[in-house]
Amino acid sequence: MALFTDPRHRAAWLRERLNWHGYRYYVLDDPEIPDAEYDRLFRELQELETTHPELIAVDSPTRRVGGKPLAAFVPVRHRVPMLSIRTETDTGPDGAVAFDAQVRRELDLGDDAEPVEYACELKFDGLAISLRYEQGALVLAATRGDGETGEDVTQNVRTIRAVPLRLQGAAPEVLEVRGEAYMSRADFERYNARQRAAGLPTLVNPRNGAAGSIRQLDPSLAAKRPLSFFAYGLGEVQGWEIPTTHGAMLDALATLGLPVCEERTVTRGAEGLINFHHAIAEQRDTLPFDIDGVVYKVNRLAWQRQLGFRTREPRWAVAHKFPAQEELTVVEAIEVQVGRTGAITPVARLNPVFVGGVTVTNATLHNADEVSRKDVRVGDTVVVRRAGDVIPEVVGVVLERRPPGTQPFTMPALCPVCGSRVIRPEGEAVARCVGGLYCRAQRKEAIRHFASRRAMDIDGLGDKLVEQLIERNLVHDPADLYALDATTLAGLERMGAKSAANLVEALERSKDTSLERFLYSLGIREVGEATARALARYLGTLEALLAADETRLLQVPDVGPVVAAAILAFFQEPHNQEVLARLLAAGVRWPAMAVQTSTGESLTGKSFVLTGTLESLTRDQASERLRALGAKVAGSVSKKTDYVVAGHDAGSKLDKARELGVRVLDEAGLLSLLEG
């Protein structure tokens, strides 16, 4: 044993030994010392840090026990977006075949090329987490959130014994590790047994246990819930030579002391993917943790970069799920729910049944066509499945068990929440309430959208405040916002006199807007920013829009039959007309604009790729304006690309354009095209 009389050296030695033994115990499952000896070293370090608080380090094992409760989680902006991967809906072999074919096609590999090599992993049923290490020490842990912004859950993640507080060996300057926090089945059962013995609530399933623990505001309570962690990818990296393949990268993470699942392999071609999917499906029930499928990733990292992303999903990876679990139960009632966007969804109220780890009492019937196709009726015995292991759905009816006297289901003609008309647009499967500005079920979404930055841009009116205004019955529709005063607002939670005054000023400023912003703010289905802009430019006034029939609307670029029908339905609803009149009476206004009759050079069907930073408008704004003129905006450069718009710091896409001889525009050239 090392003997140190200096407290600083002794504390450093204790931290190093405890972190090592924790790794041996929680990651390798191969302890070197008895629990009693670990506990003795732990107590000694605690006593040292109590006597000398200046010795407490960010990687101290004593930091795992949790700190004081948090008031709320702090937002964390991911420096590298933390995106989810696409799910292959076909749970059979064809799902693997389709993915391999897509990869070979997009890599332009001929029939005589070697099979593609893939890294195959498990799809864990937990919560995605990002761990940021700087100089080897864990400094930040965050949830995925929306992929761009997550939540700081560092204190809670420190309680996960499998997560190293300090990396082993030569530490990179920055290493952001992506992975999954999960609760093993054994830990789940032990935790619930303790809860039941103490007369306390139990967890529903391991997935909810993991998510609930990570998002627990009191770290001391999170520490009582046993979680584990597996690493499966990278975010930001500095000062570390990344291996050339995904499989080798996972091996390298393991050498740094990070837990990596052993049930992984590298295989070749569709046949290898099918074999892995089948083998893991056979083992699924015997694994120590829940999974809902497997994940395939192109193994060569250079090919991953070449394949890139489609919208917000990588082209080089896919999740291939297993068939969902199914059970029988009885339909006790069929009701409809009104979603936040007005979608009317039939829902089966069920005799409670345990499916896929949860007790299910409701199941979606999706839409009227599905109810009719499956002929689901009240009293039927039905097969219930947890689709994707998340949303319960009715798969089918056991007709031989149907009782006499049952009646087919029919959709209501009026919204059960607000009484507005329910319509089903031609070509769509979903029926919708058209009272978007009035319907209580759509109220929060309508007001949130109305106040958003690209709509009326009401600074300070965030989601939490909108919830308070609705819960206190202060706002029923967007027009009510302009009746709010500083005294009323100051009485809300976290709203002092200054904040209230600022919001009143922001509301007043928002009254001066543009017609296109106003139209977009109304939340008319199918009317995004580009369509709102086209309506404003080609009709010129709100009065002209309100008077327009289908023929006139179809003359507007970007407006087809579906969009025209949605616009007409919205403005024909008396509830919406009432709110519209009140908004104008409140002083919402915009400058008159000239009516545009032509688009200049036709960009219809032209393909654009944007790269680099633009100064006068964002890439999103540029994309919307191009689409409004009939152009297509793609994410990668190919021989079919007509223009590449290159802003500052343009990268590989510009090089690709020059290589293929694609016409390159600077920002001035783009603006010239947009202005005709």
Side-chain angles (χ1 to χ4, degrees), residues 31 48 51 58 94 122 151 216 315 318 339 345 363 409 425 433 461 480 483 493-494 542 568 574 589 620:
L48 262 178
T51 307
V58 69
D94 287 349
L122 306 187
E151 294 175 315
Q216 170 63 247
R315 286 188 169 90
V318 72
T345 305
F409 170 78
C433 164
L461 191 59
D480 285 341
E493 294 177 17
R494 301 184 184 179
L542 180 61
L568 290 171
R589 53 196 173 264
D620 282 346

Side-chain angles (χ1 to χ4, degrees), residues 18-32:
L18 286 167
N19 281 330
W20 167 252
H21 290 305
Y23 169 71
R24 299 286 307 186
Y25 186 93
Y26 292 104
V27 179
L28 300 184
D29 196 23
D30 184 23
E32 288 183 341

Side-chain angles (χ1 to χ4, degrees), residues 334-336 344 346 368 371-372 376-377 407-414:
I334 298 177
E335 301 173 0
V336 296
I344 307 289
V371 182
S372 177
V376 181
R377 306 183 184 186
Q407 297 296 318
F409 170 78
T410 57
M411 290 288 284
L414 299 177

